[in-house]
Short mmCIF file of all heavy atoms in Angstrom, two decimals:
data_model
loop_
_atom_site.label_atom_id
_atom_site.label_comp_id
_atom_site.label_asym_id
_atom_site.label_seq_id
_atom_site.Cartn_x
_atom_site.Cartn_y
_atom_site.Cartn_z
N SER A 11 -89.38 -135.48 8.75
CA SER A 11 -89.24 -135.43 10.26
C SER A 11 -90.26 -136.39 10.92
O SER A 11 -89.95 -137.06 11.92
CB SER A 11 -89.38 -134.02 10.82
OG SER A 11 -90.27 -133.29 10.06
N PHE A 12 -91.36 -136.46 10.31
CA PHE A 12 -92.43 -137.42 10.77
C PHE A 12 -91.84 -138.82 10.75
O PHE A 12 -91.98 -139.61 11.73
CB PHE A 12 -93.67 -137.26 9.89
CG PHE A 12 -94.83 -138.04 10.36
CD1 PHE A 12 -95.43 -137.84 11.61
CD2 PHE A 12 -95.41 -139.06 9.52
CE1 PHE A 12 -96.52 -138.57 11.98
CE2 PHE A 12 -96.48 -139.79 9.94
CZ PHE A 12 -97.04 -139.55 11.16
N GLY A 13 -91.22 -139.21 9.66
CA GLY A 13 -90.62 -140.56 9.49
C GLY A 13 -89.51 -140.77 10.56
O GLY A 13 -89.51 -141.79 11.23
N LEU A 14 -88.63 -139.78 10.62
CA LEU A 14 -87.50 -139.96 11.56
C LEU A 14 -87.99 -140.04 12.98
O LEU A 14 -87.53 -140.88 13.82
CB LEU A 14 -86.57 -138.70 11.47
CG LEU A 14 -85.62 -138.76 10.25
CD1 LEU A 14 -84.85 -137.43 10.16
CD2 LEU A 14 -84.63 -139.92 10.43
N PHE A 15 -88.98 -139.21 13.32
CA PHE A 15 -89.56 -139.22 14.68
C PHE A 15 -90.20 -140.57 14.98
O PHE A 15 -89.99 -141.18 16.07
CB PHE A 15 -90.62 -138.11 14.77
CG PHE A 15 -91.26 -137.98 16.11
CD1 PHE A 15 -90.54 -137.45 17.13
CD2 PHE A 15 -92.56 -138.40 16.33
CE1 PHE A 15 -91.08 -137.30 18.39
CE2 PHE A 15 -93.15 -138.29 17.57
CZ PHE A 15 -92.40 -137.73 18.60
N LEU A 16 -90.83 -141.13 13.97
CA LEU A 16 -91.48 -142.43 14.12
C LEU A 16 -90.50 -143.54 14.43
O LEU A 16 -90.63 -144.36 15.35
CB LEU A 16 -92.21 -142.78 12.82
CG LEU A 16 -93.44 -143.58 12.90
CD1 LEU A 16 -94.49 -142.75 13.69
CD2 LEU A 16 -94.00 -143.91 11.54
N VAL A 17 -89.36 -143.48 13.62
CA VAL A 17 -88.32 -144.51 13.85
C VAL A 17 -87.68 -144.40 15.21
O VAL A 17 -87.55 -145.38 15.97
CB VAL A 17 -87.18 -144.37 12.76
CG1 VAL A 17 -86.05 -145.22 13.02
CG2 VAL A 17 -87.80 -144.71 11.36
N ALA A 18 -87.42 -143.10 15.62
CA ALA A 18 -86.80 -142.88 16.98
C ALA A 18 -87.76 -143.35 18.06
O ALA A 18 -87.36 -143.98 19.03
CB ALA A 18 -86.49 -141.38 17.14
N ALA A 19 -89.05 -143.02 17.90
CA ALA A 19 -90.03 -143.40 18.93
C ALA A 19 -90.18 -144.86 19.01
O ALA A 19 -90.26 -145.45 20.13
CB ALA A 19 -91.37 -142.77 18.52
N TYR A 20 -90.12 -145.55 17.85
CA TYR A 20 -90.27 -147.01 17.85
C TYR A 20 -89.09 -147.68 18.62
O TYR A 20 -89.25 -148.53 19.45
CB TYR A 20 -90.30 -147.46 16.40
CG TYR A 20 -90.43 -148.97 16.26
CD1 TYR A 20 -91.62 -149.63 16.57
CD2 TYR A 20 -89.38 -149.69 15.78
CE1 TYR A 20 -91.68 -150.97 16.43
CE2 TYR A 20 -89.45 -151.08 15.63
CZ TYR A 20 -90.64 -151.76 15.98
OH TYR A 20 -90.68 -153.07 15.86
N GLN A 21 -87.85 -147.12 18.29
CA GLN A 21 -86.69 -147.70 18.88
C GLN A 21 -86.72 -147.46 20.37
O GLN A 21 -86.36 -148.32 21.20
CB GLN A 21 -85.39 -147.02 18.30
CG GLN A 21 -85.12 -147.67 17.02
CD GLN A 21 -83.85 -147.00 16.29
OE1 GLN A 21 -83.40 -145.96 16.76
NE2 GLN A 21 -83.43 -147.65 15.21
N TYR A 22 -87.21 -146.30 20.78
CA TYR A 22 -87.27 -145.97 22.21
C TYR A 22 -88.26 -146.94 22.90
O TYR A 22 -87.95 -147.51 23.96
CB TYR A 22 -87.75 -144.51 22.37
CG TYR A 22 -87.90 -144.07 23.75
CD1 TYR A 22 -86.77 -143.80 24.64
CD2 TYR A 22 -89.18 -144.03 24.40
CE1 TYR A 22 -86.93 -143.52 25.92
CE2 TYR A 22 -89.32 -143.66 25.70
CZ TYR A 22 -88.16 -143.37 26.48
OH TYR A 22 -88.33 -143.06 27.81
N VAL A 23 -89.37 -147.18 22.29
CA VAL A 23 -90.42 -148.04 22.86
C VAL A 23 -89.81 -149.42 23.06
O VAL A 23 -90.02 -150.11 24.09
CB VAL A 23 -91.73 -148.05 22.01
CG1 VAL A 23 -92.64 -149.12 22.39
CG2 VAL A 23 -92.37 -146.69 22.10
N GLN A 24 -89.06 -149.89 21.99
CA GLN A 24 -88.54 -151.25 22.00
C GLN A 24 -87.49 -151.32 23.17
O GLN A 24 -87.43 -152.33 23.90
CB GLN A 24 -87.84 -151.46 20.66
CG GLN A 24 -87.87 -152.93 20.30
CD GLN A 24 -87.30 -153.16 18.90
OE1 GLN A 24 -86.61 -152.33 18.39
NE2 GLN A 24 -87.71 -154.30 18.35
N MET A 25 -86.65 -150.31 23.27
CA MET A 25 -85.66 -150.24 24.29
C MET A 25 -86.33 -150.34 25.72
O MET A 25 -85.90 -151.06 26.62
CB MET A 25 -84.83 -148.98 24.16
CG MET A 25 -83.43 -149.11 24.65
SD MET A 25 -82.56 -147.49 24.34
CE MET A 25 -83.34 -146.46 25.52
N GLU A 26 -87.34 -149.53 25.89
CA GLU A 26 -88.10 -149.46 27.13
C GLU A 26 -88.72 -150.89 27.49
O GLU A 26 -88.65 -151.31 28.63
CB GLU A 26 -89.25 -148.44 27.00
CG GLU A 26 -88.88 -147.02 27.28
CD GLU A 26 -88.39 -146.78 28.73
OE1 GLU A 26 -89.24 -146.98 29.61
OE2 GLU A 26 -87.23 -146.54 28.96
N SER A 27 -89.24 -151.53 26.46
CA SER A 27 -89.85 -152.86 26.64
C SER A 27 -88.83 -153.81 27.15
O SER A 27 -89.01 -154.66 28.06
CB SER A 27 -90.53 -153.35 25.37
OG SER A 27 -91.40 -152.43 24.94
N MET A 28 -87.65 -153.77 26.43
CA MET A 28 -86.53 -154.69 26.81
C MET A 28 -86.12 -154.47 28.28
O MET A 28 -85.86 -155.43 28.97
CB MET A 28 -85.37 -154.49 25.82
CG MET A 28 -84.29 -155.52 25.93
SD MET A 28 -84.85 -157.23 25.80
CE MET A 28 -85.03 -157.44 24.10
N GLN A 29 -85.98 -153.18 28.59
CA GLN A 29 -85.59 -152.82 29.94
C GLN A 29 -86.59 -153.40 30.98
O GLN A 29 -86.18 -153.90 32.02
CB GLN A 29 -85.55 -151.25 30.03
CG GLN A 29 -84.52 -150.67 30.98
CD GLN A 29 -83.11 -151.14 30.65
OE1 GLN A 29 -82.71 -151.17 29.53
NE2 GLN A 29 -82.42 -151.65 31.66
N HIS A 30 -87.87 -153.22 30.54
CA HIS A 30 -88.95 -153.75 31.46
C HIS A 30 -88.82 -155.25 31.64
O HIS A 30 -88.90 -155.79 32.70
CB HIS A 30 -90.29 -153.37 30.79
CG HIS A 30 -91.42 -154.17 31.30
ND1 HIS A 30 -92.04 -153.99 32.47
CD2 HIS A 30 -92.11 -155.21 30.65
CE1 HIS A 30 -93.02 -154.91 32.61
NE2 HIS A 30 -93.08 -155.64 31.49
N LEU A 31 -88.53 -155.96 30.49
CA LEU A 31 -88.38 -157.43 30.57
C LEU A 31 -87.20 -157.79 31.46
O LEU A 31 -87.27 -158.77 32.23
CB LEU A 31 -88.18 -158.00 29.16
CG LEU A 31 -89.41 -158.08 28.23
CD1 LEU A 31 -89.03 -158.64 26.90
CD2 LEU A 31 -90.53 -158.81 28.88
#
Side-chain angles (χ1 to χ4, degrees):
S11 36
F12 185 60
L14 281 173
F15 182 73
L16 212 64
V17 170
Y20 179 70
Q21 280 177 351
Y22 178 76
V23 168
Q24 213 175 19
M25 211 177 71
E26 277 293 295
S27 302
M28 190 52 82
Q29 211 56 47
H30 159 76
L31 285 181

